[in-house]
Amino acid sequence: MGSIAAIGEALVEIMRTELDQPLDRPAGLVGPFASGAPAIFADAVAKLGADALFVGTVGKDAFGDCIVNRLTADGVNCSAMRRHPQALTGIAFVSYRSDGSRNFVFHLADAAAAHVSLSQIPRQALDAIDHVHIMGSSLSGSEAMREACYALAAEVHGRGGTVSLDPNLRPELLPVERIREVCEPIVSRARVVLPSGAELTALTGQTEPDAGATYLLERGVELVALKLGDQGSRLYTRDGALDVAPYHISEVDPTGAGDCYDAAIIVGLAEGWDLARVGRFANAAGALATTRQGPLEGVPTRAELQRFMESQRRPL
């Protein structure tokens, strides 16, 4: 297996310290934490023991140092990371509501994160990519970032590699009604699609999950991994649907849970596991990711995940 690549936004996250504190008035904040959905995915891939490459851009500033230092320490190949000489590192300010939802204020469109291109990937690193993971948030970030995602997906797919897509809707970045349009070039090449229920509807126009999954499978997708939150997940293939039970834990911070779930799915598939094993592994990774505050703080290692699953009497 070659490397698993993620491309898109790298940013720092600065978060409210208490629930139900909006971002339009003074209140406590904590951070910066290294973040960005593709960066979290790459970090999780590395900590699960696979070869992870991250393609993104940060500024020549302290926030950029925060991101590069953290990803490097966790084992991510950052040879395709660019330090932009003028633009500042991207920032997301986040508040949390009691119902579990979040509100974001992004500084991305004019930030370093928007300046991503295929040319920043060293030839040796590009040739080693066997799989590339694309996020809807990256497709929404800027035209340059979107075109870089399309180009890398086409490059990897064109020489026999595989592609996955997490629609990862961010209404703050792009209207929901445009998500199908911007995701289409990735859907047409994707082996795996990993949506939530609302994202599956936005991607397919189908209100029923089964119908949405069938639409994607008929398009050539091999696996639709539907995230169901505290209900676990459902894995659709042309052979049918498999419900995977959730792991129940006390949630601290949901940021990054879906990205860790994605990483575990892709790593499990790369290792040739059966679908039930892949699903248990991914549900456990997503659950553990919520147990600490900060996007990367709850990302589990393979050993931590194994211990957690054994404690739940559902070993890997």
Side-chain angles (χ1 to χ4, degrees), residues 84 86-91 106-115 141-142 173:
H84 197 282
Q86 285 89 36
L88 298 176
T89 298
I91 306 172
F106 287 104
H107 168 60
L108 276 181
D110 298 319
H115 300 273
S142 71
L173 295 175

Side-chain angles (χ1 to χ4, degrees), residues 261-315:
Y261 175 91
D262 294 353
I265 288 281
I266 300 307
V267 169
L269 291 174
E271 297 196 10
W273 299 347
D274 66 76
L275 207 56
R277 185 182 181 188
V278 170
R280 292 195 304 272
F281 188 57
N283 281 5
L288 265 187
T290 71
T291 58
R292 297 174 187 167
Q293 187 177 37
L296 298 183
E297 309 316 302
V299 175
T301 64
R302 177 77 70 98
E304 289 169 337
L305 204 52
Q306 178 68 58
R307 288 194 296 270
F308 172 69
M309 295 177 72
E310 289 174 350
S311 75
Q312 298 285 317
R313 299 183 179 179
R314 280 185 274 169

Side-chain angles (χ1 to χ4, degrees), residues 179-286:
I179 193 66
R180 195 191 309 185
E181 176 188 346
V182 300
C183 287
E184 173 56 29
I186 305 301
V187 171
S188 67
R189 295 183 170 92
R191 176 191 180 195
V192 183
V193 177
L194 307 107
S196 67
E199 291 165 347
L200 184 58
T201 297
L203 201 60
T204 67
Q206 304 292 327
T207 57
E208 293 298 322
D210 290 358
T214 297
Y215 171 88
L216 291 174
L217 293 170
E218 289 176 348
R219 291 287 312 277
V221 174
E222 295 180 18
L223 171 64
V224 179
L226 180 62
K227 303 168 192 172
L228 299 172
D230 61 7
Q231 301 302 306
S233 62
R234 178 174 295 170
L235 305 181
Y236 293 92
T237 68
R238 294 182 187 90
D239 293 328
L242 174 67
D243 287 315
V244 186
Y247 291 84
H248 297 292
I249 56 172
S250 297
E251 180 179 294
V252 175
D253 182 356
T255 304
D259 309 317
C260 290
Y261 175 91
D262 294 353
I265 288 281
I266 300 307
V267 169
L269 291 174
E271 297 196 10
W273 299 347
D274 66 76
L275 207 56
R277 185 182 181 188
V278 170
R280 292 195 304 272
F281 188 57
N283 281 5

